[in-house]
Amino acid sequence: MALTIKRVLVTGGAGFLGSHLCARLLDEGHDVLCVDNYFTGSKANIEPLLKRPHFEAMRHDVTFPLYVEVDEIFNLACPASPIHYQFDPVQTTKTSVVGAINMLGLAKRVKAKIFQASTSEVYGDPTISPQAEDYRGNVNPLGPRACYDEGKRAAETLFFDYHRQHGVRIKVARIFNTYGPRMHPNDGRVVSNFIVQALRGQPITLYGDGSQTRAFCFVDDLVEGFVRLMATDEDCTGPMNLGNPHEISVAELARRVIDLTGSNSEIVYRPLPQDDPLQRCPDISFAKSKLGWEPQVRLEVGLSRTIEYFRELLTSK
């Protein structure tokens, strides 16, 4: 059956995840409108796409209404690393909440299907592991991470209320730790931090004792999950966990990065930041059963590809 070409809007399309998603949608033959205010996104991320005839980039902040004609919307707009979303916490909350209202309003007007990039941070510092979609979380609503955590929780509320009240077709994915090329080198995330520090021969910073665990999903696997979830029938709204269910301690991750980079960096320890979760691991049973999806890229392979990206980036700078 011939592919139906769709007009697809990707907010946050010049960011780490958004740029990979834009490229994937173009490869599938769709018309893609990338919208970004470039707070954390980068024109360099989408530069290779600008020459493609079915790609268009627009500078726009989703906290203001947007009037375009599209068939599908992927709402990825929001700073996603603590160093960025804590820089202007009020704006972070507005991006999640007002941005969701504006994009849902657009979807309602043009009858578009809309995807929300939610986050595992809606689970806060979990008291159970792994986290399944029916776990309601353990979030501090007053802490320094609340602008992101609660903003995303409110966005999910809005998505389901628009679905129930107005019949908007929604898909909600809860994204767990993801890594890969085009991560921001100064985003404060553990993978990019470790790789950049190792390549520069600087001490690798571990917060706490390094025993806290994370589960890392390569960006190509995550984008595959996005596309599959968006293509499901209308009964499958989510929320759906998308991430890697195999945990690793951050101390072990640091050792692997040192080995793969051939670095002489030493490990130094710093106090654990407030509300930093000790465990973060998804239960992906729902994604497996509904999408036939699970991560395929092994950690060593994904880390090697990410290290090569940062090696070239640091060399060019």
Side-chain angles (χ1 to χ4, degrees):
M1 189 172 71
L3 171 73
T4 301
I5 297 176
K6 297 171 184 171
R7 299 164 298 176
V8 185
L9 166 63
V10 180
T11 71
F16 162 48
L17 297 180
S19 60
H20 284 276
L21 176 61
C22 285
R24 169 65 183 268
L25 294 169
L26 287 169
D27 290 343
E28 293 188 349
H30 301 300
D31 288 324
V32 176
L33 172 59
C34 164
V35 165
D36 208 297
N37 68 354
Y38 300 106
F39 173 59
T40 57
S42 167
K43 290 182 179 178
N45 287 341
I46 58 172
E47 186 176 1
L49 308 180
L50 292 172
K51 298 176 183 178
R52 300 179 67 165
H54 296 284
F55 181 76
E56 181 182 358
M58 176 190 298
R59 181 188 289 272
H60 181 82
D61 189 317
V62 296
T63 60
F64 297 92
L66 180 63
Y67 301 97
V68 293
E69 297 295 325
V70 292
D71 302 306
E72 291 184 351
I73 303 167
F74 285 87
N75 186 37
L76 275 60
C78 190
S81 68
I83 196 170
H84 289 147
Y85 66 63
Q86 291 174 6
F87 175 77
D88 188 345
V90 172
Q91 184 63 27
T92 295
T93 303
K94 287 172 66 177
T95 301
S96 287
V97 177
V98 180
I101 291 170
N102 286 332
M103 291 306 107
L104 285 161
L106 173 61
K108 178 187 170 187
R109 284 195 301 274
V110 302
K111 296 180 169 52
K113 188 190 301 185
I114 182 167
F115 176 104
Q116 168 67 2
S118 190
T119 173
S120 60
E121 297 295 335
V122 300
Y123 300 124
D125 187 6
T127 56
I128 62 169
S129 187
Q131 295 90 54
E133 290 85 355
D134 59 359
Y135 176 56
R136 295 185 180 179
N138 177 38
V139 176
N140 176 4
L142 306 178
R145 301 171 71 104
C147 59
Y148 185 68
D149 301 4
E150 297 288 30
K152 289 290 190 178
R153 287 164 69 97
E156 286 196 15
T157 300
L158 285 162
F159 265 70
F160 280 91
D161 283 341
Y162 265 78
H163 173 64
R164 286 185 288 258
Q165 187 173 340
H166 301 297
V168 174
R169 296 174 294 156
I170 65 167
K171 308 290 177 184
V172 177
R174 290 175 176 168
I175 302 168
F176 284 69
N177 292 74
T178 305
Y179 70 101
R182 298 182 212 148
M183 293 184 80
H184 196 292
N186 300 316
D187 65 4
R189 295 184 187 182
V190 64
V191 172
S192 51
N193 265 6
F194 288 177
I195 291 175
V196 170
Q197 289 171 339
L199 291 174
R200 287 175 171 166
Q202 299 170 341
I204 288 183
T205 307
L206 274 188
Y207 294 95
D209 62 5
S211 63
Q212 62 269 37
T213 63
R214 298 291 184 268
F216 298 100
C217 182
F218 191 66
V219 61
D220 290 356
D221 284 330
L222 186 75
V223 168
E224 177 67 25
F226 284 5
V227 172
R228 291 193 191 189
L229 176 56
M230 192 60 139
T232 55
D233 57 47
E234 292 190 23
D235 292 336
C236 182
T237 59
M240 179 182 285
N241 289 339
L242 293 176
N244 193 324
H246 303 294
E247 287 182 271
I248 181 175
S249 72
V250 292
E252 175 61 23
L253 176 70
R255 287 189 286 270
R256 293 198 190 187
V257 168
I258 289 171
D259 289 343
L260 289 168
T261 55
S263 175
N264 294 319
S265 294
E266 297 180 350
I267 295 176
V268 296
Y269 295 86
R270 296 286 184 268
L272 195 66
Q274 181 182 346
D275 297 330
D276 192 49
L278 297 179
Q279 274 191 308
R280 180 70 82 229
C281 182
D283 180 334
I284 62 168
S285 303
F286 184 29
K288 280 184 176 180
S289 64
K290 194 68 180 180
L291 309 182
W293 177 90
E294 62 182 314
Q296 301 297 314
V297 179
R298 292 187 299 108
L299 183 62
E300 288 76 10
V301 174
L303 283 177
S304 296
R305 290 172 62 181
T306 309
I307 288 167
E308 189 56 35
Y309 166 78
F310 278 112
R311 198 187 301 275
E312 291 180 9
L313 183 69
L314 295 177
T315 300
S316 68
K317 287 187 175 181

